[in-house]
Amino acid sequence: MNSIINLIGDILGWLMYFSYHLLHNYFWSILFFTFLTKILLFPVSLMVQKNSIKMVKLQPEINFIKAKYFGNGEKISEEQYELYKREHYQPLADLIPLILQLVLLMGVINVINDPVKHIFRGGAGTLNTMFGGIDLSSIPIETRGITYLIPLIAAFSAWFMCFIQNRINVLQSEQNKFNQYGTMLLSIGLSLYLGFFVKTGVGIYWTFSNLLSIAQLYLLNIIMNPKKYIDYDALEKSRKELAESSAFHKSSQKKLFDKDPYRRKEKADYKRFFKDYEMQIVFYSEKNGFYKYFQNIIETLLKKSNVIINYITSDPKDQVFQMESDRFRPFYIGEHKLIVLMMKLEADLVVMTTPDLENFHLKRSLVRKDNEYIYVPHDVNSPNLTFHKDALDHFDTIFSSGFLCTKEIRKREELYHLPSKNIIEWGSGVIDNMIFAYENMDKRRKTVREILIAPSWQKDNILSSCIEEILDYLGGLGYKIILRPHPQFVRHEESRLEYLRQKYHMDSRDDMELQTDFSSNSTIYEADLVITDWSSIAFEYSFATLKPSLFINTPMKIMNEDYEELGITPIDIELRNKVGRSVELESLKDLPKIIHELLTSNEFSRESLHKIREKYIYNIGSSGEKGADYILERLKYYKKKHEEEDD
């Protein structure tokens, strides 16, 4: 580190050499030296001004995102990331001048600590370091007296610079008071430190640098005026919407907290969990409805063994509490307490459907290092495409839905030299249960073919991009069209749905229906064809009913930008033209012809789709037994291990 500082000092020493031999006065040389460094850094400052304007220009959209998804930090981060990527904004660019300033500061201290070396370049010479009765080579904390003025002046210059910054700097002026005052206190503190504990010449440099920064702020606003680029009306509107969402959320949270019938339950469950539960196996579910991903495994475990299932859920209204028994023990643990609980876990096996273990708030146990973490997928989609790059790296065991999933995990292990995981050829409990439900349901007689439009909830989904063209092309062809939006779309885009309802007179016609009641899945099973974009519902539908799906190629949601590096086509892409057809947005006019083909061609017969299902999904109809058998085998292993340790 010292060699780097010396190198920076040597480079800056030439600027000091030039300044002194031009002015022949140490004090004025420091000021001129400071001015030269500002000129050298001006292009960087201009770049940061441009980046800051871009940030504030994006702020209305960021505020609207925060208002729309208030309280959902993960979704907000995802949407902001997509926005930054679209607009080519680099958040870290604003750190460049700070880093360069600190680098310069280390070099300046090096130069002023030994000015003779740099000014005379190894030759002989006498340097007069006195100015106005102050020795610029002295350190105020040691010499005291009048030199105490230097740190006070430096601190005042820092305050004045921050004061001006908070009013005219394009980015700083838009920050909240906490950030503004935090930056001000940090700058003043640094200035006091430089003034008291390093040579007085450094304090002079720092003071003049702060004053020049003020002049530079005005110059930057003249060269690149933020008012020409930023819609301040939209910014103010977005602030108000965010403030309203925040106030509503805080009010709702306060009401919940004041009345909270679940606070005591969480406290009691947390205490009971560590007091009573046997350290064998724990399942974790994020919310109500996630039990279906574990259902077949848990039911088989309860049937084939006497093992106790400890089931943690972060939803106090989870329906699993209605299933409580001596051997199935649900616990409500909210997200904040969950973080601590997970770090204290001593269970042999921890089973979860939540990816990104260790990457975000959920961590592996700190108490025990040999417990086994098992990942159970929600669907048959590609983890390499639909998850963050390292989302599954910290699990010990993966329940794989099919050979492509297994292939991706093994290839990633090879590419990144990761430890080999236990991969269990598992399948899909959701698909198994859908097959069973479909085969045992009463099939109603239909007079016309039914087409179900079931979009995803991702950005640019069918309902947000092309639904009107689809309905225009399919209306009047003799099919019954059922539009079944994602529950989140119903929640957030009510006005859009109402517009479609009125435009297509859905309440008064027999051939088109808007369905927002999700209490039954019969509509999905009974449809003759499903139209979607990138929703996993298509594969579940086609593999359960052995009927084809039609995919609209809206922009694909990619969580891992490097998904192609494995050289494996994700199942999400590969199956689109195997269980059905995929259609580009510019080819929607071909929908009637393609739908006719899907409904009549032998290529999409039950027999053909059955073969595809058997090829791509493991253990159709028996995933529960497969998963339970593995868990029981591992529990026996840990039991034997504990007995040996006790001996």
Side-chain angles (χ1 to χ4, degrees):
M1 186 66 181
N2 286 334
S3 60
I4 296 174
I5 294 174
N6 289 333
L7 176 62
I8 297 167
D10 288 340
I11 295 171
L12 292 176
W14 284 104
L15 284 181
M16 180 59 79
Y17 172 85
F18 171 75
S19 301
Y20 184 81
H21 285 274
L22 179 68
L23 300 171
H24 303 288
N25 180 285
Y26 187 46
F27 173 78
W28 292 108
S29 297
I30 292 174
L31 299 191
F32 189 63
F33 168 81
T34 310
F35 179 71
L36 291 178
T37 60
K38 286 294 182 183
I39 291 176
L40 288 175
L41 284 176
F42 188 76
V44 177
S45 300
L46 195 61
M47 180 196 75
V48 172
Q49 174 84 348
K50 182 179 179 181
N51 202 60
S52 297
I53 287 174
K54 183 178 284 188
M55 175 61 197
V56 179
K57 186 179 178 181
L58 295 177
Q59 197 60 47
E61 198 165 347
I62 292 171
N63 287 344
F64 286 129
I65 289 171
K66 289 180 177 179
K68 182 176 181 179
Y69 302 109
F70 201 94
N72 187 345
E74 186 174 342
K75 184 66 175 175
I76 290 172
S77 297
E78 285 181 17
E79 293 293 325
Q80 277 192 232
Y81 171 76
E82 293 297 329
L83 176 62
Y84 290 163
K85 187 171 69 171
R86 187 190 80 204
E87 298 296 333
H88 307 290
Y89 170 71
Q90 299 295 333
L92 296 180
D94 294 320
L95 295 177
I96 293 173
L98 177 61
I99 294 170
L100 290 175
Q101 186 89 322
L102 292 174
V103 169
L104 276 176
L105 183 59
M106 289 188 292
V108 169
I109 293 173
N110 181 273
V111 170
I112 295 177
N113 273 339
D114 192 1
V116 174
K117 168 189 171 184
H118 298 284
I119 288 174
F120 297 109
R121 311 308 297 176
T126 302
L127 181 65
N128 180 11
T129 59
M130 297 299 295
F131 181 82
I134 297 176
D135 184 359
L136 301 184
S137 66
S138 65
I139 299 175
I141 198 69
E142 296 175 355
T143 56
R144 303 181 182 180
I146 193 171
T147 58
Y148 275 177
L149 285 174
I150 300 302
L152 296 177
I153 292 171
F156 177 79
S157 72
W159 170 83
F160 188 51
M161 181 190 69
C162 291
F163 177 80
I164 299 297
Q165 253 185 350
N166 291 342
R167 278 154 180 75
I168 70 169
N169 177 265
V170 60
L171 187 58
Q172 193 73 14
S173 62
E174 296 302 326
Q175 292 185 340
N176 59 44
K177 296 296 181 184
F178 179 81
N179 287 333
Q180 289 181 350
Y181 290 132
T183 303
M184 182 180 288
L185 289 173
L186 179 63
S187 185
I188 292 172
L190 180 59
S191 300
L192 286 170
Y193 172 81
L194 292 174
F196 276 114
F197 295 99
V198 297
K199 290 187 176 181
T200 304
V202 178
I204 297 296
Y205 161 82
W206 191 250
T207 300
F208 192 52
S209 177
N210 287 337
L211 296 176
L212 285 177
S213 294
I214 295 171
Q216 182 178 268
L217 282 172
Y218 284 100
L219 180 59
L220 287 170
N221 279 353
I222 292 172
I223 295 173
M224 192 174 290
N225 191 342
K227 293 180 180 179
K228 293 181 179 179
Y229 304 94
I230 298 169
D231 186 344
Y232 283 98
D233 290 336
L235 183 59
E236 186 60 29
K237 182 180 178 182
S238 71
R239 279 190 190 132
K240 288 181 179 178
E241 183 161 330
L242 179 57
E244 289 173 1
S245 293
S246 177
F248 176 79
H249 181 77
K250 288 178 180 177
S251 174
S252 300
Q253 291 297 101
K254 186 177 185 304
K255 288 177 182 176
L256 285 173
F257 186 80
D258 290 342
K259 306 183 178 176
D260 190 5
Y262 307 110
R263 198 162 31 132
R264 290 183 179 178
K265 177 174 176 55
E266 180 187 39
K267 186 176 180 180
D269 279 7
Y270 186 87
K271 184 177 180 180
R272 180 168 60 93
F273 182 83
F274 285 107
K275 181 180 179 181
D276 298 334
Y277 97 108
E278 296 181 20
M279 301 291 181
Q280 282 188 300
I281 183 168
V282 170
F283 286 81
Y284 169 64
S285 167
E286 295 175 52
K287 57 186 178 181
N288 182 40
F290 276 33
Y291 176 76
K292 66 182 179 182
Y293 304 123
F294 305 119
Q295 179 180 350
N296 296 12
I297 298 172
I298 290 175
E299 288 180 356
T300 305
L301 286 172
L302 293 173
K303 181 179 179 181
K304 295 178 67 172
S305 73
N306 60 357
V307 67
I308 293 174
I309 306 296
N310 303 286
Y311 191 95
I312 300 171
T313 174
S314 292
D315 188 341
K317 298 181 180 179
D318 200 315
Q319 293 182 353
V320 295
F321 291 108
Q322 300 173 16
M323 302 161 44
E324 187 166 3
S325 67
D326 290 340
R327 290 181 50 220
F328 182 82
R329 301 176 181 175
F331 301 84
Y332 163 55
I333 308 293
E335 287 192 6
H336 294 297
K337 277 191 176 292
L338 178 70
I339 295 171
V340 178
L341 182 144
M342 292 294 279
M343 290 191 289
K344 293 169 64 177
L345 270 181
E346 294 186 48
D348 295 326
L349 301 177
V350 183
V351 188
M352 53 201 292
T353 68
T354 309
D356 286 301
L357 180 66
E358 284 287 308
N359 296 336
F360 298 119
H361 63 295
L362 293 186
K363 309 293 184 183
R364 292 179 66 106
S365 175
L366 297 178
V367 175
R368 179 175 171 183
K369 300 299 182 183
D370 69 335
N371 42 8
E372 182 175 339
Y373 286 79
I374 301 174
Y375 175 74
V376 176
H378 286 195
D379 47 46
V380 300
N381 295 55
S382 160
N384 182 49
L385 175 71
T386 58
F387 289 161
H388 296 114
K389 194 172 186 176
D390 54 354
L392 302 182
D393 284 359
H394 299 285
F395 286 92
D396 304 291
T397 300
I398 308 293
F399 279 16
S400 175
S401 58
F403 79 93
L404 280 178
C405 175
T406 301
K407 195 174 177 182
E408 286 180 352
I409 294 168
R410 290 297 184 223
K411 185 65 178 180
R412 175 167 168 75
E413 290 173 348
E414 176 189 336
L415 189 64
Y416 288 95
H417 308 291
L418 301 172
S420 181
K421 297 177 181 60
N422 302 318
I423 298 183
I424 309 305
E425 295 184 359
W426 176 62
S428 171
V430 171
I431 289 177
D432 285 350
N433 290 338
M434 288 184 72
I435 292 171
F436 180 82
Y438 178 69
E439 290 178 349
N440 289 276
M441 70 179 289
D442 293 328
K443 312 291 193 299
R444 63 181 172 85
R445 297 176 64 87
K446 296 182 294 185
T447 56
V448 296
R449 301 264 196 172
E450 293 182 357
I451 297 175
L452 176 68
I453 303 176
S456 67
W457 170 229
Q458 69 188 53
K459 189 177 181 181
D460 297 321
N461 62 71
I462 289 174
L463 279 169
S464 300
S465 59
C466 59
I467 185 60
E468 292 174 67
E469 293 96 318
I470 293 174
L471 294 178
D472 289 341
Y473 284 124
L474 299 186
L477 294 182
Y479 303 120
K480 179 171 183 179
I481 311 299
I482 302 172
L483 179 59
R484 186 182 170 102
H486 191 282
Q488 290 295 331
F489 196 94
V490 175
R491 179 182 175 189
H492 294 287
E493 302 289 345
E494 186 178 350
S495 59
R496 173 69 171 157
L497 294 176
E498 186 57 31
Y499 165 77
L500 293 172
R501 186 196 302 273
Q502 293 184 18
K503 177 177 179 178
Y504 292 96
H505 309 289
M506 293 187 184
D507 292 335
S508 59
R509 56 193 293 182
D510 296 329
D511 65 339
M512 200 171 289
E513 175 187 347
L514 175 62
Q515 191 173 94
T516 56
D517 181 0
F518 306 106
S519 59
S520 171
N521 284 328
S522 62
T523 302
I524 299 174
Y525 295 129
E526 292 171 345
D528 297 286
L529 176 74
V530 160
I531 299 177
T532 189
D533 35 51
W534 293 93
S535 172
S536 61
I537 192 175
F539 302 141
E540 294 167 359
Y541 163 81
S542 287
F543 288 148
T545 66
L546 298 177
K547 299 174 188 176
S549 296
L550 191 153
F551 303 89
I552 307 298
N553 289 338
T554 56
M556 181 168 57
K557 183 176 182 180
I558 301 172
M559 293 299 293
N560 173 19
E561 295 287 346
D562 299 323
Y563 78 93
E564 292 179 330
E565 68 182 356
L566 300 187
I568 300 170
T569 303
I571 191 172
D572 313 63
I573 298 173
E574 177 154 334
L575 284 182
R576 288 171 83 82
N577 285 308
K578 292 185 181 295
V579 300
R581 286 284 181 261
S582 59
V583 182
E584 301 297 333
L585 288 172
E586 57 269 23
S587 301
L588 293 178
K589 63 180 183 301
D590 297 328
L591 284 178
K593 180 177 66 175
I594 295 171
I595 289 173
H596 178 74
E597 176 193 1
L598 290 171
L599 293 175
T600 58
S601 172
N602 286 333
E603 183 181 353
F604 306 105
S605 65
R606 288 182 58 84
E607 293 75 18
S608 299
L609 293 175
H610 184 274
K611 290 178 182 178
I612 294 171
R613 184 176 75 182
E614 295 298 316
K615 176 182 178 181
Y616 283 91
I617 309 299
Y618 291 137
N619 302 306
I620 292 295
S622 59
S623 64
E625 289 77 8
K626 189 72 175 180
D629 287 346
Y630 174 79
I631 288 173
L632 291 173
E633 177 187 331
R634 296 302 290 167
L635 288 177
K636 288 178 183 177
Y637 162 80
Y638 282 108
K639 183 179 181 181
K640 182 178 179 182
K641 183 180 179 181
H642 297 324
E643 289 172 350
E644 290 174 352
E645 289 172 350
D646 291 339
D647 292 340

